[in-house]
Amino acid sequence: MNYKILYDKPGRLRLRLGQAAFTREEGYGIEKLLYGLEGVLSVSTTPINGGLLITYEEENRENILNVIEGLSKTSLPVAAPGELSIDRELYETFAKKVVDILAKNIVIKNLFPNPIRNMMTIYRSIKYLRNGMNSLSSGAINVDVLDATAIGVSIGQGNYSTANSIMLLLSIAAMLEDYTTKKVKNALIHSLAIKTDKVWRMEDDTEVSRQLSEIRAGDIIVVRTGSIIPVDGIVISGEALVNESSLTGESTAVMKSSSATVYAGSVVEEGSINIEVKAIDGDTHVHKIVELIEQSEDIKAQVQSRAEKLADSIVPYSFLASIGIFMVTGNVSKALSILMVDYSCAIKLSTHISVISAMHEASSNNIMVKGGKYLEAFAEADTIVFDKTGTLTTATPKVAQIIPFRDYTEEYVLRTAACIEEHFPHSVARAIVKKAEEEDLHHNEEHAEVEYVVAHGIATRLEGKHTIIGSYHFVVEDEGVKITKKQKEIIQNTCKGYSIIYLAKGKTLAGAICIEDPPREEAKDVINSLRKLGVDNILMLTGDSENAAEAVAKELGITDYRSEVLPVEKSIIIQEYKDKGHRVIMIGDGVNDSPALSISDASVSMKDSSDIAREVSDVVLLSNDLKKIITLRHISRGLIYKINRNYQLIVGFNSTLILLGLLGAITPTTSALLHNLSTMFLGVNSMKPLLKK
């Protein structure tokens, strides 16, 4: 495709591809294509004139131009708008609305005579007066009533200029709030888009791993314990408890069996179902959670709810004060000065914007927060409970040693373990499967239906024998597999400090797999930083052996830990802390962590967590960096500080305006102007980042 370079400086290119060279959708496609190139920092397209603005790292200039030259007008890529594209369009729309309303006011003021201007002011006031009357008719004395009264009294006094100023500032403030809300919603939509890349599809009675993009309506897919359902469909066989909280807000799992309908975004808590695909809707999960975030009172920060209640409760006192001043002084101007100043508008606006801006800032730092109240809980938490495997330790553990017993070989133990484990989402399972791939050990799907026992292991039937793999508790204590004294000594000597997975066929121990699961590099620094940030209690819980737990706890400087803990025991421990008055954060990644995640004051899951862990968590880290926990602590504490500081500024400044109005030092128009400007200032200031660079 031909282009003309309009601006070319190191790191910045502005090109013109020609008028109507691409449509808006094709422009989004070009942006997506260029964002995929190394060194591209930002891209924006303008369909009207075929404009293209690119910022980039200098050494990548030629590659970018080569890609643009290779575009063909007949086969341009098409895409939906990305987060940055939507942000840019939202800002352009907001800026245009503000410019339009200011220009309109200037034109009216300078070109129209007074009688016409006054009639236009009365016409514009109808909307505010109607909102105030509607609130009164429903028994509410709120900000709408206050605004309507101030505008109505101003017009009644013939002070059309004051009424105009009030409506102008109210309009701009509403636009600012709308812009901020949409901007944060856009960030949440994109950050919530946690995609499922692969699914198991039934092909000739065999399960085959396929990319989700390959799945079509009519296909049969298998979804097991701990996995997200990526499609809308009908259950054709099997039974499972399905968590549909992302769709309904109801946390209790629902039993799904043959003929039941299931939806994308729900999660299989227990069981296995075969689903006939009816519709593939990757956005269902995203939009439902966003809808809950916007609508549910339960996920608002308590400080936000308190602010809104406080704001509404102040309004009647403003009316009483205004009436009292009029009765004492008989001065309408002084009474009107009080109506022009209300604490509630600034409190509501600044608190709301502070909360959603904090959520946006968290999203910008690859932290998805599902509601404002979880930021508040994170700020106030004095206790943080960590799962070990995949949370404090690396999300990519490795197989360190394979110990075969009886007549079995290392190759057989690893191949069999990988064959069973590949069906389930867990970091240890992925480590075993990866090791088998590295050893070029291929296997056939020869086993029968597999059953995943949460936090214990997996059971199936292989080569005519009951075959199990999992923890010592599951294999030896629950299933009764015999382990000799000599086998135990070999395992203890070989796997000292490692996590251990046991494989058994029938009642015979076939082998043990030692899993190397070292702590994350940043974990110790994170633990130390949390203590400095006021977290008094740091606890590590794990289902691993005492030796493995002790080794990790000692290395990280954690003095309080529990080993060989079952899922239900994790939740009991957290409840005990809560009963003692502690505010508890649980951080985990596995299916076995979901009960504890659900019961904590706020819960956090990691990027590579199981689908159900991400589903029930209140916060999801979208990167593998555990330091994001520290980032979130700073954001949440900064939010509470900002809200409290805004309270002080609002009360101090507005009280000063009221006093000046009562003394006659400022007119109602000036009072209204200063009040609304201060409200807008606080709104804009509330959007500022909480983190220092």
Side-chain angles (χ1 to χ4, degrees):
M1 179 175 280
N2 295 324
Y3 60 84
K4 181 180 180 181
I5 298 179
L6 302 180
Y7 182 89
D8 187 4
K9 295 292 183 183
R12 187 178 178 88
L13 270 173
R14 185 182 294 276
L15 311 178
R16 180 72 53 79
L17 279 65
Q19 190 172 6
F22 51 82
T23 64
R24 182 172 293 277
E25 290 72 22
E26 289 170 343
Y28 297 143
I30 293 172
E31 290 178 12
K32 184 176 181 180
L33 174 66
L34 294 178
Y35 270 122
L37 300 179
E38 184 179 355
V40 173
L41 304 177
S42 68
V43 187
S44 63
T45 55
T46 308
I48 296 176
N49 60 7
L52 189 58
L53 177 62
I54 309 165
T55 60
Y56 61 94
E57 294 173 357
E58 293 180 28
E59 63 271 17
N60 298 285
R61 179 181 181 280
E62 293 306 316
N63 184 39
I64 294 169
L65 293 177
N66 288 337
V67 170
I68 296 171
E69 286 178 5
L71 294 173
S72 171
K73 282 190 176 183
T74 58
S75 58
L76 289 173
V78 175
E83 180 182 353
L84 295 176
S85 299
I86 296 176
D87 272 355
R88 184 178 68 250
E89 291 173 8
L90 283 174
Y91 176 76
E92 290 171 353
T93 301
F94 166 69
K96 184 177 182 301
K97 285 182 177 179
V98 172
V99 170
D100 286 349
I101 195 171
L102 290 175
K104 185 177 179 181
N105 271 269
I106 292 172
V107 169
I108 291 173
K109 185 175 181 179
N110 290 284
L111 296 183
F112 290 87
N114 272 338
I116 295 178
R117 288 207 307 268
N118 295 343
M119 290 298 295
M120 295 176 75
T121 300
I122 293 172
Y123 176 77
R124 289 174 56 205
S125 71
I126 292 174
K127 177 180 71 173
Y128 297 96
L129 297 175
R130 184 172 59 242
N131 290 341
M133 291 300 296
N134 289 338
S135 294
L136 279 176
S137 64
S138 62
I141 302 178
N142 54 23
V143 177
D144 287 338
V145 177
L146 199 65
D147 292 337
T149 304
I151 293 168
V153 170
S154 296
I155 292 175
Q157 290 291 307
N159 198 337
Y160 293 95
S161 177
T162 299
N164 242 340
S165 298
I166 296 172
M167 290 187 286
L168 173 63
L169 293 167
L170 286 174
S171 296
I172 294 176
M175 290 176 192
L176 178 63
E177 182 174 359
D178 181 61
Y179 163 69
T180 308
T181 303
K182 287 180 177 178
K183 184 178 174 67
V184 175
K185 178 183 175 181
N186 174 47
L188 290 173
I189 287 175
H190 285 83
S191 64
L192 282 166
I194 304 171
K195 304 296 183 183
T196 298
D197 297 324
K198 291 186 177 182
V199 297
W200 291 95
R201 183 169 70 184
M202 293 300 297
E203 298 178 9
D204 298 327
D205 296 326
T206 302
E207 294 179 29
V208 180
S209 178
R210 297 293 186 194
Q211 293 289 333
L212 181 60
S213 58
E214 299 178 47
I215 303 303
R216 300 289 180 268
D219 287 348
I220 308 298
I221 66 170
V222 183
V223 184
R224 293 190 175 87
T225 300
S227 294
I228 195 168
I229 297 174
V231 300
D232 292 348
I234 304 294
V235 178
I236 60 171
S237 63
E239 288 187 342
L241 284 171
V242 177
N243 188 314
E244 298 180 319
S245 61
S246 66
L247 307 172
T248 64
E250 177 57 53
S251 60
T252 304
V254 180
M255 177 61 73
K256 299 286 185 177
S257 55
S258 184
S259 301
T261 301
V262 291
Y263 299 98
S266 51
V267 179
V268 175
E269 282 195 357
E270 184 177 341
S272 174
I273 49 178
N274 288 18
I275 303 169
E276 180 182 352
V277 179
K278 294 298 182 183
I280 300 172
D281 183 8
D283 290 333
T284 300
H285 176 54
V286 175
H287 289 298
K288 289 297 180 180
I289 292 181
V290 171
E291 185 177 326
L292 285 174
I293 287 175
E294 292 179 318
Q295 296 178 0
S296 174
E297 288 295 319
D298 292 337
I299 63 173
K300 283 185 178 180
Q302 290 183 17
V303 67
Q304 186 178 357
S305 298
R306 288 196 299 268
E308 292 179 357
K309 291 176 182 177
L310 174 63
D312 286 334
S313 67
I314 290 174
V315 174
Y317 295 103
S318 295
F319 276 109
L320 290 174
S322 180
I323 293 170
I325 292 300
F326 177 72
M327 293 177 65
V328 171
T329 65
N331 190 316
V332 176
S333 180
K334 290 184 178 181
L336 194 58
S337 293
I338 295 179
L339 287 181
M340 295 301 175
V341 178
D342 73 272
Y343 300 88
S344 57
C345 182
I347 291 174
K348 272 189 174 182
L349 181 64
S350 64
T351 305
H352 174 67
I353 290 179
S354 293
V355 171
I356 59 177
S357 293
M359 291 173 66
H360 183 201
E361 186 170 1
S363 174
S364 299
N365 283 276
N366 288 325
I367 305 168
M368 182 189 72
V369 183
K370 297 180 182 178
K373 80 172 187 178
Y374 307 122
L375 284 171
E376 185 174 18
F378 213 92
E380 298 173 351
D382 62 0
T383 302
I384 292 187
V385 180
F386 286 96
D387 169 56
K388 181 181 80 70
T389 305
T391 304
L392 285 174
T393 60
T394 175
T396 54
K398 298 178 181 179
V399 173
Q401 187 76 35
I402 300 167
I403 309 171
F405 293 114
R406 302 281 180 166
D407 297 327
Y408 299 109
T409 64
E410 289 188 19
E411 290 78 9
Y412 180 86
V413 171
L414 181 57
R415 181 189 295 112
T416 303
C419 180
I420 301 172
E421 291 277 15
E422 71 175 348
H423 292 273
F424 294 93
H426 192 274
S427 56
V428 171
R430 288 193 292 269
I432 293 172
V433 172
K434 183 177 180 181
K435 181 65 174 177
E437 291 174 350
E438 291 172 354
E439 298 291 333
D440 200 26
L441 296 177
H442 303 289
H443 58 83
N444 297 319
E445 294 287 345
E446 297 175 353
H447 53 73
E449 178 69 21
V450 290
E451 177 189 0
Y452 181 42
V453 182
V454 174
H456 288 66
I458 306 170
T460 187
R461 194 161 187 83
L462 186 64
E463 299 170 349
K465 290 186 177 181
H466 181 64
T467 304
I468 56 175
I469 186 170
S471 66
Y472 180 88
H473 176 80
F474 175 54
V475 174
V476 179
E477 296 178 359
D478 287 354
E479 294 291 323
V481 173
K482 301 299 181 182
I483 179 170
T484 67
K485 184 178 180 180
K486 184 177 180 180
Q487 287 173 335
K488 187 177 290 187
E489 288 177 356
I490 292 172
I491 293 172
Q492 287 177 344
N493 292 332
T494 307
C495 296
K496 190 172 184 179
Y498 293 136
S499 301
I500 307 168
I501 302 296
Y502 297 83
L503 175 69
K505 293 194 70 176
K507 295 295 182 179
T508 301
L509 184 65
I513 301 175
C514 307
I515 303 295
E516 183 181 9
D517 194 20
R520 295 175 186 268
E521 291 182 5
E522 73 276 15
K524 188 170 184 177
D525 288 339
V526 169
I527 299 298
N528 292 333
S529 296
L530 285 172
R531 290 194 175 104
K532 292 176 182 177
L533 289 171
V535 179
D536 300 323
N537 308 303
I538 296 177
L539 173 67
M540 183 184 79
L541 303 179
T542 179
D544 267 352
S545 65
E546 172 66 19
N547 286 340
E550 182 183 17
V552 171
K554 186 176 181 180
E555 186 172 346
L556 298 180
I558 297 175
T559 55
D560 193 1
Y561 71 91
R562 319 281 173 85
S563 61
E564 299 179 7
V565 180
L566 297 177
V568 66
E569 293 173 336
K570 290 184 180 182
S571 59
I572 291 172
I573 291 169
I574 288 176
Q575 187 60 54
E576 288 174 352
Y577 271 94
K578 291 177 66 176
D579 291 343
K580 293 176 182 177
H582 295 289
R583 294 278 273 173
V584 184
I585 305 297
M586 170 68 191
I587 305 174
D589 77 314
V591 175
N592 58 317
D593 297 320
S594 55
L597 291 169
S598 299
I599 201 172
S600 58
D601 291 300
S603 54
V604 182
S605 63
M606 308 297 290
K607 177 186 177 183
D608 294 321
S609 299
S610 65
D611 292 325
I612 193 169
R614 291 199 302 260
E615 179 66 31
V616 302
S617 294
D618 308 313
V619 177
V620 180
L621 305 187
L622 302 177
S623 76
N624 284 319
D625 187 358
L626 199 59
K627 288 182 180 178
K628 296 298 180 184
I629 300 296
I630 305 301
T631 301
L632 185 60
R633 179 75 167 182
H634 282 297
I635 289 175
S636 59
R637 294 178 77 180
L639 169 64
I640 301 304
Y641 173 79
K642 179 184 284 186
I643 289 174
N644 290 332
R645 185 186 61 183
N646 282 345
Y647 281 166
Q648 296 169 2
L649 291 173
I650 290 164
V651 171
F653 187 79
N654 287 331
S655 296
T656 301
L657 289 181
I658 289 175
L659 180 61
L660 291 174
L662 292 176
L663 295 174
I666 56 175
T667 64
T669 303
T670 303
S671 180
L673 177 63
L674 292 174
H675 162 68
N676 283 285
L677 285 176
S678 70
T679 300
M680 289 177 61
F681 168 77
L682 282 171
V684 172
N685 190 58
S686 296
M687 294 174 65
K688 288 184 177 179
L690 295 163
L691 298 175
K692 296 179 181 179
K693 293 295 183 182

